[in-house]
Amino acid sequence: MNKHISKISIITALAAGIGLSSCTKKFDQINTNPDKPSTASSAWLATNILTSVTSKDIASATDFRQPFTLGKYICWTEQASAYQYNKFDRVSFNRLLVLRDITAMVNNTAAGDLKNSYNGFGHFIRAWQFFQTTMQVGDIPYSQAVQGSTGVIKAKYDTQKEVFIGILKELDQADSLLAKGVDFSGDFIYSGSVDKWRRLANSFQLHVLMNLVKKTGDADLDVINRFKAVAQRPLMRDYTDNFAVTYQASAGYCYPWSNTAAQINSFVIYPMMSTTLVDLLKTSQDKRLFYFAEPTPAQLKAGKTMSDFDAYMGVEPSDQYTSTTDKKAAGSYCDVNKRYVEMYNAEPVGLLNYWDVQFLLAEATVRGWISGTAAETYYENGIKGHLNFLAKYAPASYAHNMAIDAAYISSFPATVALTGTTENQIQQIITQKYIAGFFQNSDFNAWYENRRTGYPVFKLNSSTNLNVPSTSFPLRWMYPTNELNYNSDNLNEAIQRQFKGNDDCSQSMWLLQ
């Protein structure tokens, strides 16, 4: 991890569909400034690309909390939150726009080891952005995406299986190219370390493969054997390898939930910690509760101390909105820990973290995909990794006299040891991954894990659920308006192929079948 940098404006309007057409030659000639260079350096383009994928993707203020509202970590009291009550709308494909810069970034580098580095970095970025996009909707443009400069302005939709095969190939290419590369400029996450980028690419491939758990019988994907092979490559070693953004004390650079002199966040008065998270922590007497939350005002008034687990009360996310606001008014709730508000650098925000990878390895071992190391070892490594991270970045003054120390880090995992059936152990692993994901993994990871495994269990209340039908949770977002307007023939073919013409949120994509 390294220093957070400026949130450079990257995204421009779609020209037509996801083809992303380039400007005309005449327009380019008229608007060329002869006093400025006609090409951008590979380092500058790498920074631009990485900013879009990390700093800009981790939203701030009320947008930062959206994935955690959907993931049932918190409830919201400003108004009835769509994500809290499972209402989805149309998604955007804007995250794919930045992929246009990859070709220039690679081509602007002379052949050799440095070109391998930028090329490998580019393949990782492509895999990351296409993965996040297909996870939301299903089939997407892939083979013809971002090809506007070649005249393809209405890209065909590849099947989700084809997209995943492409993603896996790109990650293999990233590993191979980075292994032949040298450290490069323009990277503010790992300071250009090809070793760390290679570890990230391989760790991310494990994440992609685990999301294909229902496709282990598909010979084209060969999920289990691929997982075994990738698990032997260099992977993240500890939290210093996290794919994470760190923060500093100036506007636009602060922790996304902070409300400081450098960065005002007027939305900090609205969150309430959920029973989904709080009850998990209380059940196992997990000290992370004291790092995540503030004690319940009503419980303090009743005589509880801030270091008492019973001083913390969550609110059920599926309750009626009026019930939630009544509890807020009565002080019968927990707020998020003040460190998230008062510190400009509360903690680095990771998009994929070391502990996530350890939990992936634990799950793969329990499922019988890999062997040689006990699932319990990976599981404990994941828990300890997150505990060490909190102990490093969260001041003990915010721990309500329940600071996490080395002795606790060593002993706590045994209190939640893996036990019982395979399914029970998977539930335990996903539960610990969920806990460690609080205010981390902002690309809807907790919701995707629940969609994939059913854990942790989210309560379905048909009287408040805004999905249609109200008797089930949504499974996907709907396709973008821009695609409806500018690429309707290709989009409609994909909708008919997948969902018999019904682009709605309760349709099950190939990945889930």
Side-chain angles (χ1 to χ4, degrees), residues 102-138:
I102 291 175
T103 299
M105 177 186 68
V106 175
N107 289 344
N108 291 353
T109 308
D113 294 342
L114 187 59
K115 195 180 191 76
N116 288 332
S117 301
Y118 283 116
N119 201 2
F121 168 73
H123 279 294
F124 168 80
I125 294 295
R126 281 177 53 87
W128 182 273
Q129 297 294 73
F130 282 119
F131 175 80
Q132 304 301 341
T133 305
T134 190
M135 287 291 284
Q136 291 192 302
V137 293

Side-chain angles (χ1 to χ4, degrees), residues 209 216 219 221-231 369-370:
L209 287 163
T216 55
L221 293 164
D222 198 18
V223 171
I224 296 175
N225 285 328
R226 279 181 180 267
F227 196 102
K228 287 178 180 177
V230 177
W369 292 9
I370 57 175

Side-chain angles (χ1 to χ4, degrees), residues 18-20 126 130 140-158 487 490:
I18 202 63
L20 309 177
R126 281 177 53 87
F130 282 119
I140 59 170
Y142 173 71
S143 59
Q144 292 184 353
V146 292
Q147 297 295 318
S149 62
T150 68
V152 180
I153 61 174
K154 293 184 178 181
K156 74 171 185 177
Y157 277 63
D158 297 272
N487 195 19
N490 286 315

Side-chain angles (χ1 to χ4, degrees), residues 6 38 96 112 120 147 168 205 241 271 301 317 335 360 367 421 441 444:
S6 173
S38 58
L96 299 182
Q147 297 295 318
L168 294 170
Q205 184 162 181
D241 287 341
K301 187 175 180 180
D335 199 350
L360 284 168
R367 292 186 182 277
T421 64
N441 305 110
F444 303 105

Side-chain angles (χ1 to χ4, degrees), residues 368-428:
W369 292 9
I370 57 175
S371 60
T373 299
E376 187 74 36
T377 299
Y378 293 127
Y379 177 71
E380 289 188 0
N381 287 344
I383 296 171
K384 289 178 179 179
H386 186 244
L387 291 172
N388 276 308
F389 173 83
L390 286 180
K392 165 71 174 179
Y393 289 104
S397 58
Y398 286 102
H400 302 103
N401 296 328
M402 293 292 278
I404 291 171
D405 57 19
Y408 182 82
I409 293 170
S410 177
S411 63
F412 174 73
T415 68
V416 289
L418 294 179
T419 185
T421 64
T422 295
E423 188 63 24
N424 189 70
Q425 291 182 53
I426 290 171
Q427 180 177 4
Q428 289 181 275

Side-chain angles (χ1 to χ4, degrees), residues 185-199:
S185 300
D187 163 28
F188 57 89
I189 299 292
Y190 296 131
S191 298
S193 169
V194 289
D195 176 66
K196 290 203 171 191
W197 277 105
R198 188 183 178 199
R199 292 176 185 279

Side-chain angles (χ1 to χ4, degrees), residues 36-42 44-45 104 108:
K36 291 186 177 180
S38 58
T39 59
S41 72
S42 296
W44 187 91
L45 287 167
N108 291 353

